[in-house]
Amino acid sequence: MTNVVNTTSQNSHILNDYLQALLAIEETKSDLSPQQILAVLLTRDAVHAEIMLKVAQIPPDEVTKLMELDRRLKAQANKIVKAGQLKDWRSSIHPPAEAWWWFLESDESDPWTRFDAIWDGLTTINLTAVVSFLATFSSQFIVSGLDLLTTFGLVGNGAIALLVFGSLTQSGREKLQKLLHQLKLPERYCSEVSFGISALLLLGAIYLQNSLPQLGKYYYHLGLQSFAKAEFTEAKKDLKQAIAFDSGNFDAHLLLGKTYENLENLPNARTHYMQALPGNNAETYNNLGRLYLGDQDYLTAESFFLRGLDLVKADNFPIRYSLLTNLGWVEIEQNRYSQARKNLVSAIALNQKQPSNQQRWEANCIFAKVLEIKKDRKSAIAQSTTCVNNASSYTTFDYRWVILARRRLESVGTEGGNFKQKR
């Protein structure tokens, strides 16, 4: 009888310690301290140890009291999880699985965690979209090789996406929770933080997608600068990148066509001139018509020159002059000399109205051929002399008439001067 009384008294003492530790937590209005939490958990350990030793000798009323105290402990789970460091403590103490009070996170009835599956699902959807964007970007950013801008755009976004993807795995979630802990943020927000980062990534990807035309313009201007310096290989690289970012940049297609033409790659030049046609640029029609002229497809060439004349602006002297000159050329090839004469005279008259530093002389070379056919040898020699002394070679096609004009002068023993290639 004495042993039962002593056991009951000892149980009551331990349960009373448990009660006092619980009261300290329940009555605290501010955040709990680690010491308070450890006190109640270690006291619950002591209760468990005593029960395991004398389970058959515990009176029913003591069991009832223990159950009530455990209920009150579980009611404080949110405060304990929020302020405690249960995971770190478990790694030091290694409590058994039945010591549920060390695992209160699993019993936490936090409204935030109830929607973790939804947040994680939305995160997966966002990241799937981001990966889709990145797959598209990878083919656009590396068309002409990676530079600093394209490397940053591709690798930077990819690295962040992989980081967030990792947060959906158990190990990744633990790392993110550790980061949140270092930032003094509750670990329960792990899913929401992952979703927030994925949403920002998706918005960034959408913004980048919408910014691609601007990047295209940037690379177009780089190509324009390289073309102006006759650095055609560099211009080709930048213009291909510009088109990768914005395939609807018709100016870039036109300039790339001119670049290929200067590199003597006429098939690729033709391809990009064709892709530039929707831009309704008169120069595109002029250059494409000239390629068809070189193929001796005179009807197609003439149609392009006529269309170019419909589109060219009145103040665009270089293109209007080229169109009239090339149209006269194709008419000569078709033995339509009267019409050729009319267009070439118009080109020469237009040229005479320009400042001396802008004048061009290809039309004089071609007009000399018309005069020669019309038996006006004196005028043909005069036009040939003017052409040989002044004309510039803008393309390989332009050499033809300069060479013919020079031969014409040589045949009559006239000194036509030295041919100077102007830049």
Side-chain angles (χ1 to χ4, degrees):
M1 183 68 176
T2 301
N3 289 338
V4 174
V5 171
N6 289 340
T7 299
T8 302
S9 175
Q10 188 172 1
N11 289 342
S12 297
H13 176 70
I14 294 174
L15 290 175
N16 187 60
D17 289 343
Y18 185 19
L19 173 62
Q20 295 304 314
L22 263 175
L23 287 173
I25 290 177
E26 292 173 338
E27 294 173 358
T28 299
K29 303 300 183 183
S30 58
D31 291 339
L32 299 178
S33 68
Q35 290 77 14
Q36 289 175 304
I37 299 170
L38 279 172
V40 73
L41 297 179
L42 292 173
T43 302
R44 185 62 180 82
D45 279 347
V47 173
H48 179 70
E50 192 66 27
I51 290 174
M52 294 302 294
L53 289 174
K54 303 174 182 179
V55 64
Q57 300 175 347
I58 301 177
D61 61 327
E62 297 292 338
V63 174
T64 302
K65 183 176 181 181
L66 175 60
M67 293 173 64
E68 173 59 21
L69 292 175
D70 283 346
R71 184 194 64 77
R72 291 167 62 178
L73 175 60
K74 291 177 181 179
Q76 300 301 314
N78 288 347
K79 294 170 65 176
I80 293 172
V81 170
K82 179 180 178 181
Q85 304 173 27
L86 296 180
K87 182 179 177 182
D88 294 337
W89 293 341
R90 286 197 301 270
S91 65
S92 299
I93 298 174
H94 300 290
E98 62 268 19
W100 54 263
W101 47 94
W102 290 100
F103 302 89
L104 286 173
E105 300 102 322
S106 61
D107 295 328
E108 183 184 8
S109 59
D110 191 335
W112 288 96
T113 60
R114 289 184 300 172
F115 301 104
D116 280 358
I118 296 176
W119 291 120
D120 290 344
L122 292 174
T123 299
T124 301
I125 293 172
N126 285 346
L127 290 177
T128 300
V130 170
V131 169
S132 177
F133 276 115
L134 288 177
T136 302
F137 295 156
S138 64
S139 62
Q140 294 174 312
F141 271 85
I142 60 177
V143 165
S144 57
L146 290 174
D147 57 15
L148 180 62
L149 177 61
T150 55
T151 299
F152 176 79
L154 183 61
V155 178
N157 284 282
I160 298 174
L162 288 175
L163 175 65
V164 181
F165 255 129
S167 71
L168 298 177
T169 65
Q170 183 60 35
S171 61
R173 183 172 288 275
E174 290 175 357
K175 292 177 182 178
L176 184 56
Q177 288 174 342
K178 184 176 181 180
L179 176 62
L180 292 177
H181 179 70
Q182 293 174 346
L183 296 174
K184 307 298 183 183
L185 294 173
E187 296 177 2
R188 60 180 179 164
Y189 298 137
C190 181
S191 292
E192 289 82 351
V193 169
S194 296
F195 169 75
I197 296 175
S198 70
L200 289 175
L201 275 177
L202 180 58
L203 289 174
I206 294 172
Y207 175 78
L208 182 58
Q209 177 69 34
N210 292 333
S211 299
L212 290 183
Q214 294 302 317
L215 287 173
K217 290 180 181 178
Y218 168 75
Y219 279 98
Y220 168 71
H221 287 295
L222 288 181
L224 196 60
Q225 293 170 9
S226 297
F227 186 88
K229 294 185 288 187
E231 297 173 353
F232 300 121
T233 300
E234 189 66 24
K236 179 182 73 171
K237 180 179 115 175
D238 291 330
L239 292 168
K240 287 175 67 177
Q241 187 65 72
I243 291 170
F245 286 141
D246 182 10
S247 60
N249 188 335
F250 304 122
D251 290 337
H253 280 293
L254 171 58
L255 189 57
L256 184 54
K258 293 166 66 176
T259 301
Y260 275 122
E261 195 170 356
N262 277 278
L263 292 171
E264 304 296 333
N265 188 335
L266 300 187
N268 280 354
R270 188 190 306 271
T271 296
H272 286 282
Y273 285 149
M274 292 295 291
Q275 292 175 330
L277 283 178
N280 284 329
N281 188 319
E283 185 178 6
T284 303
Y285 284 87
N286 178 64
N287 295 358
L288 194 53
R290 194 178 57 243
L291 293 184
Y292 279 103
L293 176 57
D295 293 339
Q296 298 183 356
D297 186 350
Y298 302 130
L299 181 60
T300 302
E302 184 178 1
S303 67
F304 277 111
F305 295 142
L306 290 174
R307 176 58 177 157
L309 285 170
D310 287 339
L311 294 172
V312 69
K313 295 180 179 178
D315 60 352
N316 190 344
F317 159 70
I319 302 305
R320 179 175 289 277
Y321 177 86
S322 291
L323 285 164
L324 288 169
T325 301
N326 289 330
L327 185 57
W329 179 353
V330 77
E331 288 165 343
I332 289 176
E333 297 293 350
Q334 299 176 83
N335 301 322
R336 296 161 56 200
Y337 303 117
S338 297
Q339 192 62 34
R341 181 187 187 104
K342 175 182 176 182
N343 287 311
L344 291 169
V345 168
S346 296
I348 292 170
L350 180 63
N351 187 52
Q352 292 172 348
K353 297 177 182 178
Q354 306 307 312
S356 58
N357 63 339
Q358 295 182 23
Q359 289 182 334
R360 295 170 60 175
W361 306 93
E362 302 96 305
N364 298 81
C365 292
I366 301 173
F367 187 39
K369 176 66 175 178
V370 176
L371 294 171
E372 186 177 48
I373 292 172
K374 294 296 184 180
K375 308 300 183 183
D376 188 348
R377 191 173 183 80
K378 182 178 179 180
S379 296
I381 291 173
Q383 292 294 333
S384 296
T385 302
T386 300
C387 168
V388 171
N389 287 338
N390 298 285
S392 300
S393 58
Y394 295 94
T395 71
T396 54
F397 292 110
D398 296 332
Y399 278 106
R400 170 180 175 176
W401 294 104
V402 175
I403 293 170
L404 290 176
R406 180 175 292 171
R407 288 177 180 176
R408 186 176 298 109
L409 294 176
E410 291 172 352
S411 69
V412 296
T414 302
E415 181 59 44
N418 295 322
F419 173 67
K420 302 173 183 178
Q421 181 173 344
K422 298 179 181 179
R423 297 290 182 184

